[in-house]
Amino acid sequence: MLELHLTNNRAFAWQQAGNVWAKGFLFASNGRQYVGVGLPKFFLGIETEQDFAERLREANGSFCVAVKTANGYMVAVDRLRSMLMFVAQRDGRIIIGDDANALRDKLGLDESDLDALKVEELRQSGYTVGSHTIYKSIAQLRGGEYAVITENNYSINYYYEHTHGNFMTISKADAFQQLDGISERMFKRLIESVDGRQIVVPLSGGYDSRYIVAWLKKLGYENVCCFTYGRKDSFEVQISHQVAKKLNYEWHFVEYTDETWQSIFAEEWRPFYEYSGQLSQLPHCQDIYAIKTLLEQGIIFKDAVVVPGYCGDGLGGSYLVDEKDIENFSAEGLARTISEKHFSFMRNSPLRNEITEDIRKSLSSQDVADIDKYNSIGEAWYTINRWSKFVVNALRGYDYFGLEWRMPLWDNELMEFWYRVPNEHRGRVTWYDEYLLTGVFKEYGVDIVKDMPAPQSQVVSNIKRLVKKSPLGNEARKLHTYIRRKLGKVQDFNRFSSICNYVKNDSKVTGTENIADPNNVNAFLVQWYLQKIIGIH
């Protein structure tokens, strides 16, 4: 038996035309926008799997779609999985849906269907690896994937892979000129898609969200509201305020206190955590209090569109690996690096080897024989696993309140430009940062360099390498722990220590003493989510 179960109409409602169901928005290659009731029409007339994949490759936007075929369905999500789609199969029954919790309940799944490896992956990183949830019977589509489903089975395939290659030979001046053209076109698409509504920008002290507001100003869009949150003395707050003031945009600050964080653990928030977690990823609760507050105050309009600057630094090369830091040019070596760096919330995982092997199998290619291939396959893995599940999942905090959103920094045109920029121009000192500082920000006097400590993860990682080589053994490890704790307190811009303390003091949450980093808020939140929301200890 094959069923279609589409129930999530928050912010973006499902629309139907003929044999097509779709929600979201997109632009076709000819520049035409498909949105609302017109969106399904983009996918009409598809007869084969090849037709479906070709149409998906053309689509530039955020969407998910289901097409009824003679034998079943074909379903897909956009390149970054900004909207979710699941396929559940058990006892001869297949259900396609947009809510993993609902599919679990419809199939009557219990603890016997839990996948111990996926649970451990979620516990160790905040997301599961590959195309499965923590339940064996429920699969999910990752960014750039589609599924073909019949009465008896289903298969999941790529229509787009986030690999880097076919590198351009281009000067910096020509690259920046191209970026100007791409930026103008993609921000015009953003403006067209919001149709005059209020644009709300979560404006941080970094460059990605500043990229958005600077170009909105350049194109003359004035219905913009900026906000930030955290501690009053945070560098994020100070820079954000300066930028908004220079651009003459409305700006609001929501202070976060210990009481703020405690309030989001109240029972009234449980539906949000269920909605956002989807049995496969850590719910992102960082700005839900600010959104709720600003909505209640009437500062954010009910039909507003939130435009965050997610993952622009990823396109710029923030996850590139230097050749000298690679010990083993193999898929096993890459998987081990990912496992050790990003799956280490808890000490001494009993499934470390299994997690590493699962990562290896989920790589889009096993050919990583040189530095460019190694980085290409690594960045592609990060994009459809870590970024889309762990970072972009923050979008659930907007559509939970019925607010539409856009992600202009993952416009197809910008994405494909950076995928062809040679890696020597990406990384720590990048063309991305230089273009923004000199080519975009300087014109408006917002070329403020981020005056902040190096990211804790980077500092801790460097110390860790030294500790491994140190002859001092336990003394070196003690120093590493001490510095990590001190760094966490210095860099606690959003009072995340309040979350750590709250979870640590919750008598119904166990195992927090095994968390490797006492300042890692995500490690504490995962323990809380698994135990208090899903019921797994």
Side-chain angles (χ1 to χ4, degrees), residues 479-497:
L479 177 61
H480 168 237
T481 300
Y482 174 80
I483 292 173
R484 185 174 61 193
R485 286 178 176 173
K486 287 295 183 183
L487 275 171
K489 291 177 180 177
V490 169
Q491 298 190 332
D492 190 13
F493 305 120
N494 293 312
R495 295 192 185 277
F496 287 152
S497 57

Side-chain angles (χ1 to χ4, degrees), residues 328-511:
N328 183 358
F329 278 99
S330 68
E332 292 78 7
L334 174 57
R336 193 177 308 113
T337 297
I338 294 171
S339 175
E340 291 175 355
K341 187 172 183 180
H342 297 289
F343 290 76
S344 56
F345 283 179
M346 310 294 288
R347 297 189 189 93
N348 305 319
S349 170
L351 298 176
R352 171 63 56 201
N353 291 336
E354 289 85 349
I355 290 174
T356 302
E357 175 61 12
D358 202 28
I359 293 170
R360 184 197 66 76
K361 290 190 295 186
S362 71
L363 297 173
S364 58
S365 171
Q366 302 295 299
D367 180 8
V368 294
D370 60 50
I371 184 62
D372 283 335
K373 289 179 180 177
Y374 187 98
N375 272 314
S376 174
I377 300 305
E379 287 188 291
W381 189 93
Y382 283 123
T383 301
I384 63 173
N385 287 280
R386 182 173 175 80
W387 295 342
S388 71
K389 297 176 186 175
F390 192 64
V391 180
V392 174
N393 188 47
L395 295 171
R396 304 291 77 80
Y398 309 139
D399 52 42
Y400 180 76
F401 291 102
L403 295 171
E404 287 192 18
W405 40 261
R406 303 288 188 269
M407 286 192 298
L409 302 193
W410 284 86
D411 183 276
N412 287 4
E413 193 177 1
L414 184 68
M415 184 192 313
E416 288 166 5
F417 170 84
W418 282 110
Y419 285 1
R420 295 190 58 216
V421 171
N423 287 330
E424 58 262 32
H425 304 310
R426 301 170 66 240
R428 288 291 172 197
V429 180
T430 71
W431 276 3
Y432 180 78
D433 286 359
E434 188 177 346
Y435 166 70
L436 293 179
L437 286 166
T438 63
V440 181
F441 301 158
K442 191 172 183 179
E443 178 181 354
Y444 298 100
V446 294
D447 50 334
I448 306 163
V449 177
K450 292 181 288 188
D451 184 16
M452 58 174 287
Q456 183 185 347
S457 58
Q458 180 187 338
V459 177
V460 169
S461 180
N462 291 338
I463 296 170
K464 206 171 189 177
R465 279 197 292 268
L466 292 174
V467 166
K468 281 184 177 179
K469 298 177 182 178
S470 172
L472 298 177
N474 287 334
E475 294 304 314
R477 280 188 284 276
K478 287 178 184 177
L479 177 61
H480 168 237
T481 300
Y482 174 80
I483 292 173
R484 185 174 61 193
R485 286 178 176 173
K486 287 295 183 183
L487 275 171
K489 291 177 180 177
V490 169
Q491 298 190 332
D492 190 13
F493 305 120
N494 293 312
R495 295 192 185 277
F496 287 152
S497 57
S498 298
I499 295 179
C500 299
N501 292 332
Y502 180 89
V503 175
K504 195 185 304 180
N505 294 327
D506 188 331
S507 60
K508 295 182 180 178
V509 178
T510 60

Side-chain angles (χ1 to χ4, degrees), residues 23-216:
K23 70 173 182 175
F25 69 94
L26 62 84
F27 286 86
S29 57
N30 62 5
R32 179 181 173 184
Q33 181 183 193
Y34 291 81
V35 66
V37 295
L39 177 62
K41 296 176 184 177
F42 178 78
F43 296 98
L44 287 175
I46 290 172
E47 296 182 356
T48 68
E49 181 179 344
Q50 183 179 359
D51 291 341
F52 192 44
E54 288 178 358
R55 198 73 56 88
L56 289 166
R57 281 190 283 271
E58 182 187 350
N60 184 7
S62 298
F63 61 89
C64 51
V65 58
V67 178
K68 182 80 171 70
T69 67
N71 299 315
Y73 290 91
M74 294 186 292
V75 299
V77 296
D78 59 52
R79 296 186 183 190
L80 208 57
R81 179 191 170 269
S82 62
M83 300 179 187
L84 312 185
M85 189 72 83
F86 303 90
V87 183
Q89 181 177 27
R90 191 182 193 191
D91 300 331
R93 186 181 182 189
I94 298 180
I95 310 176
I96 306 159
D98 55 7
D99 187 330
N101 300 288
L103 299 192
R104 174 198 58 194
D105 296 343
K106 286 181 78 67
L107 289 177
L109 304 181
D110 55 27
E111 289 186 6
S112 65
D113 198 68
L114 285 171
D115 186 326
L117 176 58
K118 297 302 175 184
V119 171
E120 183 66 9
E121 289 170 354
L122 178 57
R123 191 189 307 278
Q124 288 290 351
S125 68
Y127 52 96
T128 59
V129 172
S131 296
H132 263 80
T133 66
I134 59 173
Y135 284 91
K136 299 171 188 174
S137 299
I138 306 177
Q140 60 181 310
L141 298 188
R142 295 181 297 171
E145 288 185 336
Y146 70 93
V148 177
I149 305 132
T150 65
E151 289 280 351
N152 303 313
N153 214 337
Y154 69 89
S155 62
I156 297 176
N157 304 289
Y158 290 110
Y159 68 84
Y160 182 84
E161 295 186 52
H162 291 266
T163 49
H164 299 237
N166 188 24
F167 295 119
M168 299 181 284
T169 301
I170 190 171
S171 69
K172 184 196 299 184
D174 287 344
F176 285 11
Q177 186 176 20
Q178 281 195 34
L179 277 170
D180 271 338
I182 292 169
S183 298
E184 180 175 358
R185 290 188 292 275
M186 75 184 194
F187 282 110
K188 282 183 175 178
R189 283 191 282 270
L190 166 65
I191 289 170
E192 180 182 349
S193 78
V194 302
D195 193 26
R197 288 175 289 172
Q198 181 192 48
I199 288 179
V200 176
V201 181
L203 186 60
S204 71
Y207 298 156
D208 296 341
S209 55
R210 205 184 311 174
Y211 187 2
I212 294 167
V213 290
W215 263 99
L216 288 174

Side-chain angles (χ1 to χ4, degrees), residues 264-290:
I264 67 164
F265 289 102
E267 186 64 21
E268 68 180 279
W269 285 103
R270 184 182 185 90
F272 165 76
Y273 291 106
E274 292 174 342
Y275 172 75
S276 181
Q278 291 295 325
L279 309 177
S280 61
Q281 58 210 3
L282 175 64
H284 187 296
C285 61
Q286 187 164 332
D287 53 3
I288 57 173
Y289 178 84

